[in-house]
């Protein structure tokens, strides 16, 4: 499971570390070292045209290289859920971002999945007044997949260009596993981003079911500066703005 990746000694390092691409010919490489890197986003919720602060989303990344096989990257995200918080941990191949494992700790449930071959296998534990219940899960993914928990990292490393579009497979348990998600560049623009200043960005539309997103990706740093989710079922807009300075 995601929380149980075992590190091997340096002597056990494998020679081949590239892993298997999710989409043939598409390399999604996260430039991450074993040292932890933390990025913080200010979260804003818009309801009935009124904006309100909703805390922060914190993303902590680290590479896992002292192990046999493909090098990995661990992405831990913490974000508010009412008066509590959600902690998601995603393990992916470093050089391809192919999903390896995922864990999500939420106020009402805990989910754990391993992605092995064409399947997502794991458990969903639901918290109830009469105790917890556990559902065993095995979803056929039909092939390699990206974890939707790191969708902004994947989009940031795409070969974005004017007119660029692609449809990529992301894992969403609630929608049966494999969800083909359209990604399309809307425009390139120079825009202000608070303390980050004026930045050259790609504005990208991402067709997440039930929560279509707009992402502002820094054209030089290939990193997310802002994301807006239009959550149609709740007539709500959720926006995350990066407040951590860009490296360099």
């Amino acid at each position: 499971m995601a929380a149980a990746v075992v590190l091997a000694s340096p002597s056990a390092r494998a020679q081949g570390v590239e892993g298997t691409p999710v989409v043939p010919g598409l390399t999604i490489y996260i430039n991450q070292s074993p040292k932890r890197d933390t990025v913080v986003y200010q979260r804003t919720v818009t309801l009935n045209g009124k904006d309100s602060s909703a805390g922060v989303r914190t993303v902590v990344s680290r590479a896992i290289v002292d192990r046999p096989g493909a090098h990995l990257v661990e992405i831990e995200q913490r974000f508010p859920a009412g008066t509590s918080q959600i902690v998601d941990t995603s393990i992916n191949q470093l050089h391809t971002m192919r999903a390896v494992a995922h864990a999500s700790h939420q106020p009402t449930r805990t989910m754990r999945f391993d992605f092995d071959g064409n399947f997502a296998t794991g458990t969903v534990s639901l918290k109830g007044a009469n105790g917890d219940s556990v559902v065993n899960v095995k979803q056929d993914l039909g092939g390699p997949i990206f974890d939707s928990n790191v969708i902004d990292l994947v989009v940031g490393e795409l070969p974005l260009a004017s007119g660029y579009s692609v449809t990529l497979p992301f894992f969403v348990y609630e929608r049966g596993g494999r969800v083909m998600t359209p990604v399309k560049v809307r425009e390139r623009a120079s825009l202000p981003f608070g303390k980050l200043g004026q930045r050259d960005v790609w504005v990208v539309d991402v067709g997440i079911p039930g929560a279509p997103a707009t992402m502002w990706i820094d054209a030089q740093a290939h990193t997310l500066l802002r994301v807006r989710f239009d959550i149609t079922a709740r007539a709500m807009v959720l926006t995350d703005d990066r407040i951590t300075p860009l490296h360099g």
Side-chain angles (χ1 to χ4, degrees):
M1 296 303 174
V5 173
V6 177
L7 306 188
S9 65
S11 62
R13 294 178 184 176
Q15 296 301 313
V17 297
E18 293 300 324
T20 305
V22 173
V23 177
L26 180 64
T27 299
I28 305 295
Y29 174 68
I30 304 302
N31 185 19
Q32 179 62 51
S33 76
K35 183 179 178 180
R36 293 180 183 273
D37 180 63
T38 301
V39 177
V40 179
Y41 297 87
Q42 178 65 54
R43 174 158 290 189
T44 303
V45 172
T46 305
L47 276 172
N48 301 318
K50 183 179 180 181
D51 295 340
S52 60
S53 175
V56 298
R57 174 167 68 100
T58 302
V59 182
V60 181
S61 309
R62 71 181 182 100
I64 303 172
V65 298
D66 291 338
R67 65 180 300 278
H71 290 175
L72 303 177
V73 60
E74 177 189 79
I75 314 291
E76 181 192 88
Q77 301 199 48
R78 295 176 179 266
F79 48 92
T83 58
S84 186
Q85 73 171 350
I86 294 174
V87 181
D88 285 347
T89 305
S90 181
I91 305 293
N92 312 274
Q93 291 181 353
L94 178 64
H95 292 261
T96 67
M97 287 303 288
R98 177 175 176 170
V100 174
H102 174 89
S104 180
H105 296 270
Q106 306 175 18
T108 59
R109 67 178 179 176
T110 299
M111 302 189 297
R112 294 179 178 273
F113 303 104
D114 286 322
F115 305 101
D116 186 13
N118 292 338
F119 293 92
T121 305
T123 59
V124 177
S125 301
L126 303 174
K127 298 179 181 179
N130 298 320
D132 295 354
S133 62
V134 179
V135 177
N136 292 316
V137 176
K138 187 171 185 178
Q139 293 179 328
D140 189 347
L141 303 177
I145 203 163
F146 295 114
D147 188 353
S148 59
N149 193 51
V150 295
I151 192 168
D152 58 316
L153 296 177
V154 173
V155 171
E157 291 300 327
L158 292 172
L160 302 176
S162 296
Y164 179 82
S165 65
V166 67
T167 300
L168 300 175
F170 285 92
F171 175 75
V172 183
Y173 161 70
E174 295 84 354
R175 293 185 176 268
R178 188 181 188 89
V179 175
M180 298 305 296
T181 304
V183 178
K184 184 177 182 179
V185 170
R186 183 192 304 174
E187 63 177 339
R188 187 166 182 170
S190 178
L191 299 170
F193 290 88
K195 293 182 179 180
L196 301 182
Q198 198 79 8
R199 302 298 303 183
D200 178 22
V201 295
W202 293 108
V203 185
V204 185
D205 295 321
V206 184
I208 302 170
T214 304
M215 297 185 181
W216 287 260
I217 303 293
D218 189 279
Q220 281 71 48
H222 302 282
T223 192
L224 181 77
L225 301 185
R226 176 182 297 144
V227 58
R228 185 186 70 221
F229 298 96
D230 293 288
I231 305 173
T232 52
R234 300 174 60 185
M236 179 176 75
V237 177
L238 188 153
T239 304
D240 287 349
D241 280 288
R242 178 175 173 135
I243 57 177
T244 300
L246 292 167
H247 298 300

